Amino acid sequence: MNRIKMLREAKGLGLRELAADLEKRGTPLSWMTINKSEKSDSNPSWKTIRILSDYFGVSADYLMGTDITVAAHNDSSTGLPPELQLAVEKFYREQQEKHGKND
């Protein structure tokens, strides 16, 4: 499940941060469940896959590595695929930290 880890890290989140964010959204998963889901030999439940694919805005097939198409849906107003949007957001956060936060 390297894609889960890749998407989580692209958002700049640790396991516990992602778990806390999911809980705030009303779709709790423990950080231990997320950690197990990131392991390549794991078989996450359908509920876990659905929660994480909805959170990251990607298809379940993409998340599981059975499809190379990045997104099933794209709620972003930029029109960018989720992976690219996450990379842009990560870059923006890094620049804010480096040069001071000027919103």
Side-chain angles (χ1 to χ4, degrees):
M1 298 284 39
N2 293 331
R3 289 184 178 173
I4 295 172
K5 185 174 183 177
M6 178 192 63
L7 290 165
R8 176 180 59 77
E9 289 177 345
K11 273 183 103 59
L13 297 171
L15 289 166
R16 293 175 193 264
E17 293 168 315
L18 175 55
D21 199 19
L22 288 168
E23 187 165 346
K24 288 179 196 172
R25 294 170 182 246
T27 53
L29 284 179
S30 73
W31 69 269
M32 293 176 286
T33 298
I34 298 166
N35 186 43
K36 287 179 187 175
S37 298
E38 289 181 352
K39 307 284 186 211
S40 60
D41 60 343
S42 76
N43 291 311
S45 70
W46 175 245
K47 177 184 172 188
T48 298
I49 294 166
R50 183 188 51 78
I51 288 170
L52 292 172
S53 64
D54 286 348
Y55 179 83
F56 291 116
V58 298
S59 71
D61 287 332
Y62 175 79
L63 199 65
M64 296 300 296
T66 59
D67 187 358
I68 59 171
T69 305
V70 176
H73 53 279
N74 187 349
D75 298 330
S76 170
S77 61
T78 64
L80 296 173
E83 281 183 325
L84 186 53
Q85 180 66 34
L86 290 171
V88 169
E89 290 170 5
K90 181 179 179 185
F91 175 77
Y92 180 73
R93 279 193 311 275
E94 289 169 352
Q95 294 305 307
Q96 281 184 319
E97 290 172 8
K98 184 176 179 180
H99 300 290
K101 294 183 179 184
N102 296 327
D103 290 331

